[in-house]
């Protein structure tokens, strides 16, 4: 780390660690969350039919992590309602985004520079939420790694993980997909964060907490901003994800066949092109394409191509 | 209040406040709840296929408020089962309503006078349930207004609020609607009650608790009896609801345009006719009718008629 | 009990009562549970698309009882995750069953003798789980019979009772049926066990606990093995179930008509043939067959054949 002045890095990360989320970053989080709801199909019609359902849905978008964590730890899921300042703030933002005369507020927030800044600020809150979840888990279960990861993840990506039930509030039911089957970018990046911070807490990862906070936050902010500005939706760790998937879950991995050269070739190709994993899939793309919603595609399944019942089932995931 | 003898009013409200719900009013509540279940499409067939699912569904109708409150406050949702007397009573009533030889019990309870009396008695229990919920909320969260309203509402109208999941027990799934999107009369009146009692508890409403209990109870009983006898299903506060909705949630409210004269005109028309809000809707009734399930209809949405994606979504709420 | 040497029976039941479930019986339970998941339609495709959803679904199969009990008693449903040894074991088994190269593990466990032994061992864990649930219920609610039965049942048959939500994790939603409407064999046998053990705990059933454990365990093991070896799926108490159903829930039971001779005749026929209850159904089989999913069939419902709305509803349960 020769190009970093260590003391200024320490100062920066200390400063970040002491940053207060309330009110500015929280406001950004609420605005981005409510905008995400408003851009869901049907949400605007619902807001004209039932403001109450719309408000409840917005609160689930804003406080989904706290609600889910509450349920998982048997603490009152109604807890977030007791935090009057935050609820008031989120409700005002919900009102302005959905019902402001002439739609000024929403029109303003959709301007690209505003939106990028708000999204970047929301990413900052993610770090704090993951750490809050991990602290909550430690209160009840001490240094249990799995529970720390689960609660940190739930707290940071709760809105996504409960999306099936949030949609139900709005009268929409899409059982055929959920965040476990088809993880979105925020869910994935939160999971990675939860794993890193949990490893740090249990001393498996020998870094300072405030350094990790700085690196993770900078990474999420930069990556999110980059994605918004370029319109890209690729996951930065897709090659690693692909490799892990191929090695662990295809059941046909032969250590001899997968030479280091081939792995590197795949990763380089994956970074350079958008058709990940194609190099190994030529033969089986046709029958497999529709049941591989993750970016990680491959000819997994050929060994079991004989399972006819599954061939039919795969249509469900189209 | 010249026409009330204040001391006799006090006596009356004190007497009401000390009234015991168990067993007579509770019995009425169970009978009306189980009858409501029996009159749901499919319930009778289910009772012949799976008495256990039917019993469980009945218990959710009778104790839905306690179950929902339990979940919201992280107290055992199985709690109502521990109250053996009430469970036994509710189970006997469930049995008699569904399986009594010759259907005597159900035939008897469907006689109009009996039904009106039972429904009136059930309305009385609503007051007690709301107050019970508010007391439970105060135990955990002191004088937090929002939580008091939420728990009071959940306790008083729980059976309705969890209806999606109660139906699931019976093998029925109707995600396209729920009590938040399309509130029924009991849910609305319970919400009003929860707001009033929570305001009274937090001293924002300067009335005596037993007076408020008397007025609210008399109002719900009289209104329910009137609705049953006349077959009307109109909500008594619909004009106020319409006004609030127009002012707060249409996003096109201009203070100049809505003169006092026009408001009064609307309210008078609303009370006299059944086609509420029509005076402002002539032009846009056709495209809006199907996505306005609440009694509050209007030409809201014209400003956003350009949102084509929403035009399609609105079909969901038909 | 002349053919039992009482002292050796005592020794045997004591020995059984002190048997440790961990690790061998737990391993058998995990293997059988994960195999049951793998044999669900769609599960294999899902395991290739989203290992995480597949793992979560497997854990719900393995620890469903603990999760459901946690929710019912307002204890953290995430609790099972804190038991690292069990989670590690279950995860290894999940991995081997789904992703083992050449599918060796699954192929091996599907061999009939192996499968029968594993299933028998899994049945043994049922007794322990029911008792664990009852003990948990006693901790919170002392000797409340209903709650002991409910929690014992939930702990022993949790995986089945939450199957709707376990399927949702896999993107499948089948609201038209659930374990309450159409109970499976394990759910029924667990309910019987929960009732017996709860009665024993509350002293209504005058037997020794370790004797009851021995008898119940032997019964479930023998019956399960018999069912697997003969391919039968009949419930051993179907005649009693039928009789109870006819007496309690058809609403047309006349004590005169049902002579002892007829009951016995029915029971004997039921045991001897597979078309249970047919003797009374000749006339009404056509219209009733499709809405009677339980083995208990009959011409119940003729009294209410006039309910036209229900006639339509019944199609839902086809």
């Amino acid at each position: 780390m020769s190009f970093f002045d260590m003391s200024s890095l320490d100062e920066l990360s200390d400063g970040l660690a002491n940053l207060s989320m309330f009110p500015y970053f929280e406001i950004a989080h609420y605005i981005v969350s409510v905008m995400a709801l408003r851009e869901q199909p049907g949400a605007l019609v619902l807001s004209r039919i039932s403001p109450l359902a719309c408000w409840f849905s917005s609160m689930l978008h804003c406080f989904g992590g706290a609600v889910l964590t509450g349920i998982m730890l048997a603490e009152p899921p109604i807890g977030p309602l007791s935090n009057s300042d935050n609820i008031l703030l989120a409700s005002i933002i919900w009102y302005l985004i959905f019902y402001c005369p002439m739609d000024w507020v929403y029109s303003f927030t959709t301007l690209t520079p505003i939106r990028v800044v708000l999204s970047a600020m929301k990413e900052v809150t993610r770090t704090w939420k993951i750490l809050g979840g991990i602290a909550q888990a430690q209160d009840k279960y001490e240094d249990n790694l799995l529970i720390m990861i689960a609660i940190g993840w739930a707290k940071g990506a709760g809105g996504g993980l409960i999306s099936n039930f949030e949609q139900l509030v709005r009268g929409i039911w899409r059982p055929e997909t959920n965040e476990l089957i088809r993880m979105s970018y925020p869910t994935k990046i939160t999971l990675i964060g939860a794993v890193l911070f949990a490893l740090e807490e249990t001393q498996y990862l020998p870094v300072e907490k405030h350094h990790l906070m700085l690196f993770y936050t900078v990474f999420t902010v930069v990556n999110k901003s980059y994605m918004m500005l370029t319109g890209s939706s690729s996951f930065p760790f897709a090659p690693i994800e692909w490799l892990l998937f191929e090695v662990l879950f295809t059941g046909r991995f032969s250590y001899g066949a997968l030479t280091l050269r081939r792995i590197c070739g795949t990763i380089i190709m994956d970074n350079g092109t958008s058709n990940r994993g194609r190099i190994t899939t030529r033969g089986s793309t046709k029958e497999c394409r529709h049941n591989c919603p993750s970016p990680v595609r491959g000819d997994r399944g050929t060994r079991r191509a004989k399972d006819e019942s599954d061939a039919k089932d795969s249509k469900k995931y189209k």
Side-chain angles (χ1 to χ4, degrees), chain A residues 43-111:
Chain A
L44 209 49
V45 168
L46 180 79
S47 73
R48 300 288 170 271
I49 293 172
S50 171
L52 189 66
C54 180
W55 176 83
F56 189 54
S57 194
S58 298
M59 294 304 110
L60 286 181
H61 267 260
C62 293
F63 302 103
V67 171
L68 181 59
T69 312
I71 292 170
M72 286 164 80
L73 290 174
E75 288 166 6
I78 206 178
L81 270 192
S82 70
N83 202 335
S84 304
D85 290 346
N86 293 38
I87 284 285
L88 189 67
L89 212 54
S91 301
I92 290 171
I93 286 163
W94 157 76
Y95 186 81
L96 291 176
I97 298 260
F98 273 101
Y99 305 105
C100 176
M102 314 293 296
D103 229 1
W104 280 329
V105 174
Y106 179 69
S107 311
F108 179 71
T109 51
T110 47
L111 298 174

Side-chain angles (χ1 to χ4, degrees), chain A residues 8-299:
Chain A
S8 76
L9 176 72
D10 265 339
E11 272 171 36
L12 189 65
S13 59
D14 270 349
L16 182 83
N18 293 322
L19 202 64
S20 170
M21 288 297 106
F22 190 85
Y24 302 112
F25 290 89
E26 289 285 347
I27 288 176
H29 167 61
Y30 300 149
I31 293 176
V32 175
S33 300
V34 176
M35 283 171 74
L37 170 62
R38 191 183 142 144
E39 281 154 13
Q40 299 267 318
L44 209 49
V45 168
L46 180 79
S47 73
R48 300 288 170 271
I49 293 172
S50 171
L52 189 66
C54 180
W55 176 83
F56 189 54
S57 194
S58 298
M59 294 304 110
L60 286 181
H61 267 260
C62 293
F63 302 103
V67 171
L68 181 59
T69 312
I71 292 170
M72 286 164 80
L73 290 174
E75 288 166 6
I78 206 178
L81 270 192
S82 70
N83 202 335
S84 304
D85 290 346
N86 293 38
I87 284 285
L88 189 67
L89 212 54
S91 301
I92 290 171
I93 286 163
W94 157 76
Y95 186 81
L96 291 176
I97 298 260
F98 273 101
Y99 305 105
C100 176
M102 314 293 296
D103 229 1
W104 280 329
V105 174
Y106 179 69
S107 311
F108 179 71
T109 51
T110 47
L111 298 174
T112 305
I114 305 292
R115 191 156 200 168
V116 169
V117 169
L118 289 173
S119 297
M121 287 172 79
K122 182 200 156 90
E123 288 304 306
V124 175
T125 65
R126 196 179 298 283
T127 311
W128 268 250
K129 280 201 242 143
I130 296 172
L131 284 169
I134 288 177
Q136 240 180 310
Q138 279 175 314
D139 274 359
K140 279 216 171 176
Y141 289 99
E142 307 220 328
D143 277 3
N144 188 303
L145 191 65
L146 258 179
I147 292 203
M148 281 161 76
I149 294 173
I151 300 291
W153 189 33
K155 188 101 174 191
L161 292 169
I162 59 166
S163 59
N164 283 69
F165 293 95
E166 181 273 320
Q167 287 168 357
L168 184 59
V169 170
R170 295 186 278 125
I172 292 167
W173 187 242
R174 294 204 190 94
E176 68 281 0
T177 191
N178 62 49
E179 283 285 328
L180 290 177
I181 295 178
R182 188 196 276 261
M183 269 199 239
S184 61
Y185 166 79
T187 310
K188 275 183 190 168
I189 208 80
T190 311
L191 179 55
I192 291 172
V195 170
L196 289 179
F197 285 110
L199 288 175
E200 186 277 324
E201 287 289 326
T202 47
Q203 317 290 340
Y204 288 113
L205 203 70
V207 292
E208 293 283 317
K209 188 173 176 176
H210 55 271
H211 287 174
L212 187 60
M213 281 176 76
L214 179 65
F215 284 123
Y216 179 73
T217 308
V218 167
F219 173 77
T220 54
V221 167
V222 167
N223 199 54
K224 180 76 186 178
S225 308
Y226 172 81
M227 283 169 68
M228 290 188 73
L229 292 171
T230 60
S232 147
S233 66
S234 72
F235 182 59
F237 300 116
I240 297 168
E241 198 190 357
W242 175 84
L243 188 64
L244 273 175
F245 191 97
E246 287 290 299
V247 172
L248 293 174
F249 299 120
T250 53
R252 58 165 182 68
F253 185 77
S254 120
Y255 290 88
L258 203 85
T259 59
L260 191 64
R261 183 191 171 96
R262 194 171 157 200
I263 295 174
C264 295
T266 308
I267 292 173
I268 291 161
M269 277 194 68
D270 275 356
N271 273 328
T273 68
S274 67
N275 43 357
R276 289 208 162 63
R278 280 283 165 81
I279 49 165
T280 61
T281 66
R282 292 281 145 70
S284 63
T285 309
K286 266 176 210 161
E287 70 272 30
C288 193
R289 192 183 299 150
H290 57 267
N291 56 22
C292 301
S294 92
V296 185
R297 279 178 187 156
D299 63 343

